[in-house]
């Protein structure tokens, strides 16, 4: 890394790629990259010093990134192999590494606290990073969401030996990491386009547990379908909302607030207040606090960290909150995540109609889990279902949002993105609106919010 002067990112706008770009800029390296579309995140990176273009064209690669001796190329597996720039760097003998490989190198010399799981990993890693940052331990962090407390997905510290890492299972990326301690929130099958079967998906998590360093620990959700392969000198703990080595008791929900007592193997810490008071965050908080507690964060630091945590953008993100209208945005894109998100909102607003807008993400995920998606979405009082966001995939014959839509049992509407805003302008019975999905639905949030403010405020 000392010999590298410039870093070129293919897919620089991805949430994981962008924190690495920020890291290298903080180290004084020249950073440039390509992505398909301009987003608020790429605009921020340009403001911070990165040079970014949006056309797959080798002529647009800066000259300082064309010296293979001083340039490292970082790519995300989400970029298709036929990408011209990927081919150029391969054909000309550049050092090319996956994002996860680079992250593994950067974090190898620190005590890496790695949060993995099908869902919940962004919130738990963000909570953990905030707790540590506010404590006497401090931390570095590479996160999968923009934390509202810091306006960034990267935290740096000159003094801390800890690095919080969101560990992504896609393409087995988390196998490049070197966890000192690890948290596993869930292992519901996903990414079957990569793994093929649930068995292979679980094997990947088992391999991840084998990477935990001697003297470290694994904190895993109680009762998940996982057989850890940790070394003999790695401690194993379980957690959940009401069972396990770490759990909650005396849970109180009301008046827009949630509090509980945090039970550890050695002590009970009373009166934990959730800064983002939704029920799903009780369990997320327990997992985060478990790792923090194991590393010496004090009871008072835990209370302060949890109470002041403002959340990550697109993770149960309140965009409007009045007596007349509520709008919440969530990154949920797996059936289990959708069910948890919808249930949490209904518990918060039991007497108000819940309308959901969902954009499915990936043809393969839609194909593999269509009945499960329909079952979760049927928990809504009303559904507006958008077309599939393809991301890295090409269309699959017969796979459209309609294979979910046909199985949904609540009142429902199927439309494309262009039809959505006119549809909302003509609706007059929205009370609580929940937007969900991992695609480009985030580009519609401002115009949706504008319509709601115009109609209801």
């Amino acid at each position: 890394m000392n010999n590298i002067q410039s870093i070129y990112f293919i897919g620089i706008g991805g949430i994981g790629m962008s924190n690495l770009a920020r890291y290298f800029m903080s180290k004084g390296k020249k950073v440039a990259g390509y992505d398909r579309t301009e987003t608020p995140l790429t605009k921020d990176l340009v403001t911070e010093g990165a040079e970014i273009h949006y056309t797959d064209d080798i002529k647009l690669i800066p000259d300082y990134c064309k010296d293979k001796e001083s340039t490292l190329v970082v790519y995300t597996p989400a970029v298709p192999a036929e990408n011209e720039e990927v081919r150029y760097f391969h054909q000309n003998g550049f050092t090319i590494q996956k994002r996860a490989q680079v992250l593994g190198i950067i974090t190898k010399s620190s005590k890496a606290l790695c949060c993995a799981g099908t869902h919940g990993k962004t919130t738990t890693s963000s909570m953990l990073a905030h707790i540590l940052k506010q404590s006497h331990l401090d931390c570095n962090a590479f996160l999968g969401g923009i934390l509202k407390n810091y306006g960034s997905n990267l935290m740096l510290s000159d003094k801390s030996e800890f690095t919080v890492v969101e560990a992504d299972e896609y393409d087995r990326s988390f196998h490049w990491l070197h966890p000192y301690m690890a948290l596993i929130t869930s292992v519901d099958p996903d990414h079957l386009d990569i793994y093929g079967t649930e068995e292979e998906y679980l094997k990947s998590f088992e391999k991840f547990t084998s990477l935990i360093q001697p003297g470290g620990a694994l904190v895993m959700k109680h009762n998940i379908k996982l057989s850890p392969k940790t070394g003999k000198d790695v401690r194993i703990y379980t957690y959940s909302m009401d069972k396990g080595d770490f759990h909650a008791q005396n849970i109180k929900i009301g008046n827009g607030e949630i509090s509980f007592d945090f039970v550890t193997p050695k002590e009970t810490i009373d009166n934990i207040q959730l800064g983002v008071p939704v029920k799903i965050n009780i369990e997320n908080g327990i997992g985060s606090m478990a790792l923090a507690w194991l590393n010496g964060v004090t009871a008072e630091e835990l209370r302060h960290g949890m109470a002041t945590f403002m959340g990550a953008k697109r993770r149960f993100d309140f965009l409007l909150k009045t007596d007349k209208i509520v709008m919440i945005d969530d990154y949920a894109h797996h059936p289990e995540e959708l069910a948890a998100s919808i249930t949490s909102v209904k518990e918060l607003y039991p007497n108000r109609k819940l309308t959901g807008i969902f954009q499915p993400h990936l043809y393969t995920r839609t194909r593999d889990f269509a009945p499960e998606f329909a079952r979760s979405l049927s928990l809504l009082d009303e559904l507006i279902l958008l077309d599939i966001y393809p991301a890295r995939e090409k269309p699959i014959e017969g796979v459209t949002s309609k294979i979910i839509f046909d199985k949904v049992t609540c009142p429902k509407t199927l439309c494309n993105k262009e039809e959505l805003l006119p549809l909302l302008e003509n609706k007059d019975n929205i009370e609580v609106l929940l937007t969900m999905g991992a695609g480009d639905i985030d580009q519609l949030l401002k115009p949706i919010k504008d319509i709601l403010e115009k109609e209801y405020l």
Side-chain angles (χ1 to χ4, degrees):
M1 288 294 182
N2 291 336
N3 297 327
I4 298 296
Q5 301 303 313
S6 58
I7 324 289
Y8 190 81
F9 290 87
I10 303 176
I12 193 169
I15 194 71
M17 294 281 273
S18 61
N19 59 36
L20 275 186
R22 284 175 161 148
Y23 170 81
F24 282 116
M25 283 191 282
S26 77
K27 300 298 181 186
K29 308 290 187 184
K30 291 182 178 178
V31 169
Y34 155 79
D35 213 300
R36 284 195 310 175
T37 54
E38 185 180 52
T39 65
L41 185 48
T42 59
K43 289 178 182 177
D44 287 344
L45 290 174
V46 170
T47 301
E48 293 163 29
E51 188 173 338
I52 301 176
H53 61 267
Y54 305 97
T55 303
D56 179 18
D57 185 349
I58 60 175
K59 297 190 204 68
L60 298 176
I61 300 169
D63 288 340
Y64 58 79
C65 291
K66 291 183 175 177
D67 176 6
K68 64 182 178 183
E69 303 302 325
S70 63
T71 299
L72 170 66
V73 179
V74 184
Y75 77 101
T76 168
V79 172
E82 59 267 24
N83 179 279
E84 277 188 34
E85 297 188 11
V86 171
R87 285 209 302 260
Y88 165 80
F89 287 116
H90 273 297
Q91 290 167 358
N92 287 280
F94 280 76
T95 300
I96 305 174
Q97 294 194 333
K98 289 183 183 179
R99 170 194 173 266
Q101 288 175 273
V102 179
L103 190 56
I105 294 168
I106 292 171
T107 59
K108 188 174 184 180
S109 59
S110 67
K111 286 186 173 179
L113 308 178
C114 302
C115 300
T118 314
H119 31 259
K121 56 184 174 284
T122 297
T123 300
T124 52
S125 58
S126 299
M127 279 181 169
L128 174 59
H130 177 67
I131 292 168
L132 291 175
K133 200 72 181 169
Q134 300 294 309
S135 78
H136 69 284
L137 296 178
D138 201 356
C139 73
N140 301 277
F142 294 83
L143 305 170
I146 304 296
L147 268 67
K148 291 185 171 183
N149 293 78
Y150 308 94
S152 182
N153 52 357
L154 174 72
M155 295 181 189
L156 295 175
S157 169
D158 293 329
K159 62 179 183 178
S160 181
E161 62 180 342
F162 293 100
T163 302
V164 177
V165 179
E166 179 172 333
D168 187 4
E169 79 276 15
Y170 174 69
D171 197 36
R172 299 175 174 84
S173 290
F174 57 175
H175 292 173
W176 293 100
L177 301 174
H178 308 276
Y180 167 59
M181 291 189 184
L183 173 74
I184 297 180
T185 64
S186 49
V187 289
D188 300 311
D190 196 8
H191 303 300
L192 297 186
D193 54 321
I194 298 292
Y195 290 102
T197 65
E198 179 180 4
E199 181 184 11
E200 287 302 312
Y201 187 74
L202 293 174
K203 280 183 183 176
S204 188
F205 276 90
E206 290 170 3
K207 165 74 173 174
F208 173 66
T209 66
S210 75
L211 303 175
I212 299 173
Q213 303 300 296
L218 168 65
V219 178
M220 57 187 279
K221 172 84 177 292
H222 175 75
N223 240 4
I224 58 173
K225 197 192 299 185
L226 183 68
S227 301
K229 299 292 188 285
T230 53
K232 290 179 181 177
D233 48 359
V234 172
R235 296 160 288 159
I236 298 178
Y237 301 91
T238 61
Y239 80 99
S240 75
M241 190 159 70
D242 54 3
K243 290 184 176 69
D245 301 302
F246 298 91
H247 62 271
Q249 64 183 25
N250 297 327
I251 298 170
K252 295 171 186 167
I253 303 176
N255 299 321
E257 295 182 350
I258 295 179
S259 66
F260 58 91
D261 298 339
F262 174 50
V263 180
T264 80
K266 291 184 178 177
E267 63 177 328
T268 297
I269 300 171
D270 64 0
N271 196 30
I272 300 292
Q273 300 272 346
L274 283 183
V276 182
V278 290
K279 193 172 181 180
I280 195 172
N281 277 348
I282 299 174
E283 199 158 78
N284 290 331
I286 291 163
S288 307
M289 287 190 292
L291 274 190
W293 183 85
L294 287 169
N295 285 289
V297 173
T298 69
E300 197 49 51
E301 288 171 340
L302 287 174
R303 285 193 197 94
H304 178 70
M306 291 300 292
T308 57
F309 178 69
M310 295 166 59
K313 288 184 179 179
R314 302 226 59 224
R315 270 39 175 216
F316 227 97
D317 196 356
F318 282 85
L319 303 181
L320 275 173
K321 192 175 183 181
T322 75
D323 293 339
K324 293 182 179 178
I325 186 73
V326 174
M327 179 180 174
I328 303 169
D329 178 47
D330 197 62
Y331 193 70
H333 55 282
H334 182 278
E336 294 296 327
E337 290 175 329
L338 292 173
S341 186
I342 293 166
T343 302
S344 290
V345 177
K346 295 200 86 165
E347 287 177 341
L348 266 185
Y349 300 100
N351 301 315
R352 299 174 77 171
K353 178 186 175 186
L354 176 57
T355 301
I357 302 173
F358 177 57
Q359 181 189 46
H361 183 258
L362 299 177
Y363 295 105
T364 52
R365 186 182 282 126
T366 303
R367 176 197 65 198
D368 294 339
F369 301 109
E372 292 85 352
F373 275 120
R375 197 154 49 240
S376 296
L377 293 167
S378 295
L379 297 171
L380 292 162
D381 297 315
E382 181 183 13
L383 168 67
I384 300 170
L385 185 63
L386 300 179
D387 291 341
I388 297 169
Y389 181 77
R392 56 188 176 269
E393 295 183 338
K394 290 183 168 61
I396 298 172
E397 188 175 349
V399 178
T400 69
S401 292
K402 198 167 186 305
I403 66 174
I404 297 174
F405 184 80
D406 288 344
K407 294 181 174 68
V408 171
T409 57
C410 69
K412 57 192 178 180
T413 303
L414 184 65
C415 70
N416 59 39
K417 286 189 298 184
E418 290 71 29
E419 296 166 334
L420 177 62
L421 298 180
L423 175 69
L424 292 176
E425 285 174 336
N426 291 306
K427 287 185 77 67
D428 57 2
N429 59 343
I430 296 175
E431 296 178 3
V432 179
L433 182 69
L434 175 63
T435 54
M436 300 165 285
D440 62 356
I441 191 171
D442 61 320
Q443 304 297 305
L444 295 170
L445 297 180
K446 187 180 185 306
I448 292 172
K449 182 182 175 184
D450 289 344
I451 289 171
L452 296 183
E453 287 179 327
K454 180 183 174 184
E455 297 293 323
Y456 294 93
L457 299 181

